[in-house]
């Protein structure tokens, strides 16, 4: 596989975010705007992506389609184009994919949403030989109303093709659980886009250390990041490329990508990186006492539990403060000592010879791993980490009306931090199990009642097992096939206000 020739074409990115919808059945998404803002920052950075960027937020379908068509028009052969879509994914009755816009009517996707077929046609007609498409929609799980996507959509058939790379992921609405009420947290990028951003921002997606981040490295980094975070989502990638596509330069916190300044590595001067001094954002020496990582834990719930609320008890395996050293990592009677390799700085200069002369760079001290101190004797129980594996039981309140895919933030319930640092947060992801009778759409519960045609001639009553026990439904004479009967205030409780949704019974007449 050959490399994509640098400098011969333009690099442009179009970032489309839709989090607010006029259609009430399309739940509001908080992450898309933050997704696009964060991704734009690293793509537009001349040291990293060097893309010219355009961002569109909460636009109606016609404006979104116009922006997409304009983006792919009048392109040169060697242009590199990147399109990022963060929104609800929906499908029509034939299973065809559409991307929801602000004014999308879920029942009329062909005329009010952005069809994937339209996007594919624009890509096929575009002269640019390289197009990278990022879909921050839900493709890893079965489709549920209000979820961000549909797993049954054939993404490769819809959008794959020669000269393209398509990356997809799951993203969900998040809330924070605070005391006895639920509040939206500060908007954060979705896990998928957040990992995309972090891989470019830190340079960590440069997996082979050659100073460049290719689209396949980018995907591999994101996949592994989500896997380590315990996320249920599994990003997917389809690529039909005859050459390596370099998305960005690797620019980690030290100011240089992996391998920079080493024999055979990339030339920092060519990358436009200043190697003469420390960068202001460097944070060495790093303290041994650090905050623990956040943890995402999917937990399954029955419909009754999410609709009416419950108290849940779960068993979790996590890292707790080591009892032998109280988190310090040092053996009893010993204390951390200043590192002799770096004099306590956590980093040191190294000089190597390149084809443009000697290059001096700052590197993390290998002896102390950037901490500036070393442990003369480590704790035998935790081997210097300050933490040990531990299991415990946690009980928490699940508010009535919470939706599938919601994440509840339990502050300080994640893993303990290294060196005795504060614990991270635990995010409980709500997984609502399918119900044998009802389908939940928003706060309403839908079910199908099948009756013989003869039953429609006279008034009749039927018994329905609801969340509140058995209820009698009166079916009037002359009821029609497809008619809907309503049991008011018997659905899911509203999450942020008083009252409940309804039970909607859809009549199906059969011979």
């Amino acid at each position: 596989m050959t490399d994509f020739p640098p400098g011969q074409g333009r690099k442009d990115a179009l970032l489309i975010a839709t989090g607010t919808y006029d259609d009430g059945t399309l739940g509001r998404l908080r992450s898309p705007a933050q997704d696009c803002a964060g991704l734009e920052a690293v793509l537009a950075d001349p040291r990293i992506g060097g893309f010219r960027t355009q961002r569109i937020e909460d636009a109606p379908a016609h404006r979104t389609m116009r922006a997409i068509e304009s983006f792919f028009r009048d392109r040169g052969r060697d242009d590199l184009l990147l399109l990022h879509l963060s929104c609800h994914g929906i499908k029509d009755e034939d299973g065809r994919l559409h991307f929801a816009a602000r004014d999308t009517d879920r029942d009329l996707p062909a005329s009010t949403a952005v069809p994937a077929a339209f996007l594919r046609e624009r890509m096929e007609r575009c002269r640019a030989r390289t197009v990278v498409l990022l879909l921050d929609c839900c493709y890893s799980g079965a489709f549920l109303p209000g979820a961000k996507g549909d797993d049954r959509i054939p993404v490769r058939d819809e959008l794959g093709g020669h000269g393209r790379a398509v990356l997809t992921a799951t993203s969900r609405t998040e809330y924070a659980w605070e005391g006895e009420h639920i509040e939206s947290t500060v908007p954060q990028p979705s896990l998928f886009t957040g990992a995309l951003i972090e891989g470019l921002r830190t340079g960590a997606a440069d997996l082979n250390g050659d100073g460049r981040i290719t689209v396949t490295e980018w995907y591999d980094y994101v996949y592994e990041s989500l896997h380590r975070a315990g996320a249920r989502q599994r990003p997917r990638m389809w690529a039909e490329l005859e050459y390596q596509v370099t998305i960005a330069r690797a620019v980690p916190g030290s100011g240089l990508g992996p391998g920079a300044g080493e024999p055979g590595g990339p030339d920092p001067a060519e990358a436009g990186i200043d190697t003469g001094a420390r960068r202001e954002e460097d944070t060495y020496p790093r303290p041994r006492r650090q905050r623990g990582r956040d943890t995402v834990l999917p937990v399954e719930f029955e419909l009754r539990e999410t609709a009416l609320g419950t108290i849940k008890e779960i068993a979790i395996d996590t890292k707790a403060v080591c009892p032998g050293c109280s988190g310090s990592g040092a053996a009893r009677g010993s204390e951390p000592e200043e590192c002799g390799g770096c004099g306590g700085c956590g980093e040191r200069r190294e000089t190597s010879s390149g084809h443009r002369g000697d290059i001096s760079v700052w590197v993390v001290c290998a002896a102390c791993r950037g901490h500036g101190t070393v442990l003369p004797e480590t704790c035998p129980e935790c081997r210097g980490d300050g933490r040990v594996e531990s299991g415990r039981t946690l009980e928490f309140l699940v508010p009535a009306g919470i939706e599938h895919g919601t994440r509840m933030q339990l502050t300080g319930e994640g893993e303990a931090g290294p060196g005795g640092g504060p614990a991270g947060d635990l995010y409980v992801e709500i997984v609502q199990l399918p119900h044998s009778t009802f389908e939940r759409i928003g706060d309403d519960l839908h079910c199908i009642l099948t009756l013989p045609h003869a039953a429609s001639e006279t008034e009749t009553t039927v018994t329905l097992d609801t969340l509140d026990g058995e209820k009698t439904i009166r079916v009037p004479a002359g009821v029609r096939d497809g008619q809907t009967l309503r049991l008011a205030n018997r659905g899911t409780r509203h999450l942020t206000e008083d009252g409940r949704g309804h039970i909607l019974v859809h009549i199906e007449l059969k011979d």
Side-chain angles (χ1 to χ4, degrees):
M1 180 180 288
T2 59
D3 290 340
F4 180 79
Q8 295 186 8
R10 288 168 23 183
K11 297 174 69 176
D12 289 303
L14 175 61
L15 311 174
I16 300 175
T18 308
T20 302
Y21 301 89
D22 298 337
D23 188 329
T25 67
L26 295 170
R28 185 176 183 272
L29 301 173
R30 299 187 306 106
S31 64
Q34 194 75 4
D35 290 345
C36 284
L39 190 57
E40 182 180 38
V42 291
L43 290 176
D45 190 326
R47 302 170 307 147
I48 303 177
F51 281 82
R52 300 190 315 174
T53 60
Q54 177 186 2
R55 189 171 65 183
I56 297 177
E57 296 183 13
D58 293 335
H62 72 274
R63 183 184 164 201
T64 303
M65 294 175 70
R66 181 175 185 138
I68 292 173
E69 184 169 11
S70 299
F71 181 67
F72 288 112
R73 279 180 58 87
D74 302 325
R75 290 297 182 177
R77 175 70 174 162
D78 293 326
D79 288 350
L80 169 57
L81 307 180
L82 184 147
L83 174 60
H84 178 265
L85 280 164
S86 182
C87 62
H88 278 292
I90 60 177
K91 66 185 180 82
D92 60 20
E93 294 177 352
D94 297 319
R96 289 173 297 202
L97 172 63
H98 301 262
F99 301 106
R102 189 196 67 201
D103 61 342
T104 293
D105 183 332
R106 190 169 196 152
D107 295 328
L108 302 172
S111 58
T112 63
V114 179
F118 168 81
L119 176 55
R120 183 184 65 248
E121 290 168 0
R122 296 307 99 198
M123 294 167 65
E124 289 175 349
R125 296 175 66 89
C126 180
R127 292 189 66 249
R129 64 172 180 163
T130 309
V131 176
V132 177
L133 179 61
L134 309 175
L135 299 180
D136 199 345
C137 302
C138 178
Y139 295 95
S140 60
F143 176 81
L144 287 172
K148 198 178 175 185
D150 189 342
D151 187 50
R152 296 180 295 231
I153 298 167
V155 178
R156 184 171 185 175
D157 295 340
E158 290 274 4
L159 297 172
H162 178 73
R164 294 178 213 129
V166 182
L167 282 68
T168 68
T170 298
S171 181
R172 303 200 185 280
T173 304
E174 296 183 4
Y175 292 91
W177 178 243
E178 297 289 347
E180 297 182 355
H181 62 283
I182 196 161
E183 294 180 348
S184 297
T185 62
V186 175
Q188 297 291 332
S190 70
L191 287 176
F192 174 68
T193 301
L196 289 173
I197 295 168
E198 193 68 6
L200 297 187
R201 186 183 67 82
T202 63
D206 177 19
L207 303 182
N208 64 3
D210 66 354
R212 296 175 301 169
I213 299 173
T214 65
V215 67
T216 51
E217 286 180 310
W218 205 17
Y219 166 74
D220 289 340
Y221 170 82
V222 171
Y223 186 97
E224 291 302 322
S225 295
L226 269 60
H227 178 69
R228 288 194 303 270
R232 290 169 62 87
Q233 64 197 74
R234 289 294 180 264
R236 300 180 185 177
M237 174 178 175
W238 294 270
E240 297 183 11
L241 303 169
E242 297 178 356
Y243 39 81
Q244 292 180 353
V245 176
T246 298
I247 294 293
R249 298 186 182 99
V251 185
S254 63
L256 292 175
E262 300 176 1
D267 191 313
E270 291 180 357
I273 301 170
D274 179 14
T275 63
R278 292 184 179 91
R279 292 160 52 88
E280 291 183 359
E281 57 265 36
D282 289 343
T283 55
Y284 293 101
R286 291 197 300 257
R288 290 188 173 276
R289 188 175 186 274
Q290 299 179 29
R291 182 180 182 273
R293 292 193 309 175
D294 294 340
T295 304
V296 178
L297 180 64
V299 179
E300 294 180 342
F301 294 85
E302 300 291 342
L303 175 60
R304 179 185 296 274
E305 295 177 306
T306 59
L308 303 181
T310 187
I311 295 176
K312 195 75 168 181
E313 185 177 276
I314 56 175
I316 57 176
D317 295 320
T318 186
K319 291 184 178 180
V321 175
C322 175
C325 64
S326 300
S328 70
R332 294 182 186 273
S334 66
E335 297 289 339
E337 298 176 354
E338 182 179 284
C339 175
C342 64
C345 294
E347 58 181 347
R348 55 192 176 85
R349 278 186 180 272
E350 284 191 356
T351 302
S352 59
S353 298
H355 67 273
R356 295 192 178 185
D358 290 346
I359 299 173
S360 179
V361 298
W362 285 96
V363 297
V364 178
C365 177
C368 65
R369 299 182 179 179
H371 295 300
T373 59
V374 294
L375 299 176
E377 188 178 353
T378 59
C379 172
E381 293 186 43
C382 64
R383 298 180 181 181
D385 184 55
R387 304 175 296 177
V388 293
E389 296 293 335
S390 176
R392 59 192 173 95
T393 299
L394 179 66
E395 185 177 83
F396 60 98
L397 176 66
V398 180
I402 200 163
E403 295 185 40
H404 172 85
T406 299
R407 286 205 177 105
M408 294 174 52
Q409 180 183 3
L410 304 180
T411 304
E413 298 292 351
E415 67 174 34
D425 298 335
L426 174 64
Y427 288 85
V428 175
E429 181 176 296
I430 305 298
V431 180
Q432 183 176 285
L433 297 173
H435 192 271
S436 58
T437 302
F438 296 110
E439 177 185 6
R440 178 178 175 179
I441 300 179
D443 289 340
D444 293 332
L445 301 179
H446 295 249
C447 68
I448 296 175
L449 177 60
T450 302
L451 299 171
H453 277 284
S456 65
E457 297 176 0
T458 59
E459 180 178 310
T460 186
T461 59
V462 295
T463 301
L464 181 66
D465 189 10
T466 73
L467 300 181
D468 302 297
E470 290 189 348
K471 299 296 178 182
T472 300
I473 301 175
R474 183 181 65 84
V475 181
V479 67
R480 302 181 305 277
D481 183 55
Q483 185 173 338
T484 299
L485 306 179
R486 186 180 73 165
L487 283 177
N489 303 316
R490 296 295 181 182
T492 298
R493 294 188 184 277
H494 299 316
L495 181 64
T496 57
E497 59 186 27
D498 295 334
R500 298 175 62 171
H502 311 304
I503 291 180
L504 301 176
V505 181
H506 302 278
I507 300 299
E508 184 180 75
L509 297 180
K510 288 188 176 181
D511 294 329

